[in-house]
Amino acid sequence: MATVGIAGYGAYVPKYRIKADEVARVWGKKGEAVSAGLMVYEKSVPAIDEDTATISVEAARRAVRSSGINPVDIGAVYVGSESHPYAVKPTATIVAEAIRATPDMTAADYEFACKAGTAAIQTCMALVKSGMITYGLAVGADVSQAAPGDALEYAASAGGAAFILGGDHLIAEINHTVSFTTDTPDFWRREGEPYPGHGERFTGEPAYFRHVVSATKKMLEAMDTRPGDYDYVVFHQPNGKFPLRAAKKLGFTKEQVQEGLLCPVIGNTYSGSTPLGLSAVLDVAQPGDRILATSYGSGAGSDSFDLTVTEGIADYPRNHLRRMLENKVYLDYALYMKHRGALK
Amino acid sequence: MAVPRYWREIPQRYNLVGTKCGSCGKIYFPPKVVCPTCRRKSLGHMEDCALAGRGTVESYTIIYAPPPHFEGEEPYTMALIKMDEGCYLMGQVVDLEPQEIHIGLRVEACFRRIYEDGTRGAIQYGYKFKKMEEAETP
């Protein structure tokens, strides 16, 4: 079977943040209690002129620049998001044009709640393996929406990451991918509605945990590996607690999760969540490190990936994500509403 | 702005594609068909040339009373930027408090939403500038 893996990656997190404390103050809740309950302390907020397209472009440009890959060799661009700026008109064409990969290529937008980005990675892997393309660009990005006062408002944030998939110049080989998918209506947004609805506690056991745990178990079985065989593990992060609980259920340690756990400081970036977690891990990984990443998208499904970091990582320009995490400006709730109001 | 005009200018607006004179080597943005210095000699020798996106603030102004499509973004900063390739262009500097702008500030291009034609019209994207990331400052 032909080798396939990550030839480049790039991440983007907007500069603005709001603290969970500030959201709690407005709604008469105790910030400390909310933060302790969700393990979310602050979240990223897009600038007034940022949306899923601009975040995707910034992440994709970083991936192209860092990898040194000629964008003309990118034969497919897929952007996964649940907050595409247009209902009809692809975000992927904007991204492709902005990295100068057009016109000899294919493109499309994906939507699968929070796992559209990893679905895009799988599609690119298949196209590379089949020989249809040399390189493919997969992006997961969101400027997620939450109804004012809803529990989601403490976490719904903005950010994204882009991956260039290919067969050579790899910084990490993808050894295998598996998925676990069922029809589970735990979270949704109807056409034309500004905010999503969800099934409260139903989003836990039958939704997030069943899919994340099942996909990861399937991966361990398929690869004949044990949790201890991995240096890092990344799970989708709707809050800070769920990925740690999933890790515990599966026998992974807190230390394996820690490096890729960004939700406590940037919130839930939806389609950007697992891709950003994986980017944070790649920022520190060493050649030979083994990574397991499992996404989750409501509705519901999980995609799991088993990766081995290659020698190529040594020369790859890294750590820009850490810089973005540290370079931040806090907004109060009023300014946060202003930032959010300009976006769709 | 009409959609056809926006579409025609996408290479400039997304990727800062200007032109380079094949005769004297000078780089122009926005693109020119003829080099004003070499004139006839440059005809047919003007080549597309994408700017790297880095430059220095030469002058600036802070907008408190914006035109209609930019209401809500004020106060914002517009700067005259000397690009590293030598040409000048005007752009908004974002993710920066107005008091942080100064002449000599190193900036780099970023991709942002510029303008949207109401809630039903097209969304137009393009370049703006932000402070250059520290590690990348020469």
Side-chain angles (χ1 to χ4, degrees):
Chain A
M1 197 65 105
T3 306
V4 63
I6 296 169
Y9 70 99
Y12 185 80
V13 178
K15 189 176 182 179
Y16 300 95
R17 304 280 186 280
I18 186 167
K19 290 188 172 173
D21 252 350
E22 173 66 5
V23 178
R25 180 184 68 82
V26 171
W27 299 108
K29 302 270 194 285
K30 287 203 170 75
E32 267 178 36
V34 173
S35 283
L38 296 172
M39 258 187 78
V40 181
Y41 301 93
E42 54 193 62
K43 66 167 187 172
S44 60
V45 181
I48 214 156
D49 55 0
E50 287 184 304
D51 62 19
T52 292
T54 67
I55 289 170
S56 300
V57 167
E58 293 291 345
R61 280 181 173 169
R62 176 79 63 171
V64 170
R65 213 160 49 226
S66 302
S67 66
I69 282 165
N70 185 349
V72 172
D73 295 332
I74 294 174
V77 173
Y78 295 103
V79 179
S81 180
E82 58 146 64
S83 53
H84 290 289
Y86 289 96
V88 178
K89 197 222 158 286
T91 309
T93 54
I94 301 170
V95 175
E97 199 74 52
I99 60 166
R100 307 190 81 187
T102 54
D104 298 320
M105 48 160 290
T106 183
D109 285 359
Y110 273 174
E111 188 279 313
F112 193 146
C114 295
K115 87 157 187 83
T118 57
I121 293 175
Q122 289 181 325
T123 306
C124 287
M125 284 174 66
L127 292 175
V128 167
K129 273 197 169 189
S130 68
M132 277 178 70
I133 60 171
T134 309
Y135 295 107
L137 179 82
V139 184
D142 258 307
V143 285
S144 49
Q145 305 291 311
D150 191 298
L152 290 175
E153 199 179 20
Y154 295 97
S157 68
F163 294 90
I164 299 174
L165 287 306
D168 52 27
H169 294 92
L170 301 183
I171 53 170
E173 277 183 30
I174 301 180
N175 306 313
H176 194 49
T177 180
V178 297
S179 296
F180 184 87
T181 311
T182 71
D183 187 20
T184 306
D186 59 323
F187 172 101
W188 56 86
R189 183 167 62 81
R190 296 277 300 273
E191 184 70 44
E193 285 294 311
Y195 302 118
H198 54 86
E200 307 274 343
R201 280 173 176 269
F202 185 68
T203 58
E205 281 307 325
Y208 179 90
F209 292 106
R210 180 177 176 218
H211 293 81
V212 168
V213 168
S214 300
T216 308
K217 274 187 178 164
K218 265 180 73 177
M219 178 60 88
L220 297 174
E221 274 169 34
M223 301 305 286
D224 195 21
T225 46
R226 279 184 288 275
D229 296 337
Y230 297 91
D231 298 280
Y232 301 99
V233 62
V234 180
F235 294 122
H236 172 58
Q237 304 159 26
N239 52 52
K241 270 205 164 153
F242 275 23
L244 286 171
R245 204 184 300 163
K248 200 172 172 188
K249 276 175 189 269
L250 286 155
F252 290 93
T253 64
K254 202 177 164 187
E255 289 68 35
Q256 286 168 292
V257 182
Q258 212 62 49
E259 199 63 51
L261 188 60
L262 303 178
C263 189
V265 291
I266 61 166
N268 179 6
T269 50
Y270 284 49
S271 302
S273 177
T274 305
L276 274 170
L278 181 56
S279 301
V281 166
L282 288 172
D283 269 359
V284 297
Q286 297 299 318
D289 281 353
R290 192 94 179 253
I291 304 167
L292 193 146
T294 305
S295 65
Y296 173 70
S298 289
S302 281
D303 302 324
S304 191
F305 301 84
D306 178 313
L307 304 97
T308 304
V309 178
T310 73
E311 296 288 337
I313 199 94
D315 300 324
Y316 195 87
R318 297 191 279 173
N319 281 326
H320 62 275
L321 179 53
R322 290 272 159 239
R323 209 158 53 227
M324 280 188 282
L325 296 181
E326 286 157 18
N327 181 20
K328 56 192 175 185
V329 170
Y330 289 105
L331 301 176
D332 61 17
Y333 193 85
L335 279 171
Y336 158 72
M337 288 302 274
K338 183 180 167 189
H339 275 236
R340 234 188 40 172
L343 295 163
K344 271 280 179 298
Chain B
M1 187 195 308
V3 167
R5 180 177 161 200
Y6 167 67
W7 170 77
R8 261 198 314 275
E9 294 174 354
I10 277 180
Q12 288 111 280
R13 292 177 180 278
Y14 286 17
N15 290 311
L16 292 164
V17 177
T19 44
K20 184 177 181 177
C21 171
S23 172
C24 70
K26 196 171 175 189
I27 293 169
Y28 295 97
F29 187 90
K32 284 186 187 294
V33 180
V34 179
C35 171
T37 310
C38 306
R39 302 206 275 186
R40 200 157 42 128
K41 269 203 294 185
S42 70
L43 274 178
H45 302 290
M46 299 298 285
E47 294 160 8
D48 280 357
C49 172
L51 306 181
R54 293 176 174 193
T56 307
V57 172
E58 291 274 311
S59 189
Y60 63 87
T61 183
I62 296 162
I63 308 289
Y64 291 95
H69 289 294
F70 301 91
E71 279 168 356
E73 292 187 45
E74 71 273 26
Y76 60 88
T77 306
M78 295 298 294
L80 178 68
I81 294 155
K82 184 176 187 186
M83 302 304 289
D84 290 355
E85 290 82 356
C87 53
Y88 289 83
L89 61 92
M90 186 76 81
Q92 187 179 337
V93 185
V94 295
D95 285 3
L96 193 77
E97 291 300 317
Q99 62 270 20
E100 291 178 80
I101 187 86
H102 59 85
I103 291 169
L105 181 73
R106 292 284 290 157
V107 292
E108 60 186 344
C110 58
F111 190 82
R112 294 291 172 106
R113 198 187 259 241
I114 307 288
Y115 161 96
E116 62 180 353
D117 192 5
T119 54
R120 292 175 59 93
I123 306 166
Q124 300 180 357
Y125 295 91
Y127 62 83
K128 291 186 182 180
F129 290 88
K130 62 180 180 182
K131 196 170 139 187
M132 200 178 283
E133 287 178 29
E134 277 164 40
E136 287 172 344
T137 307

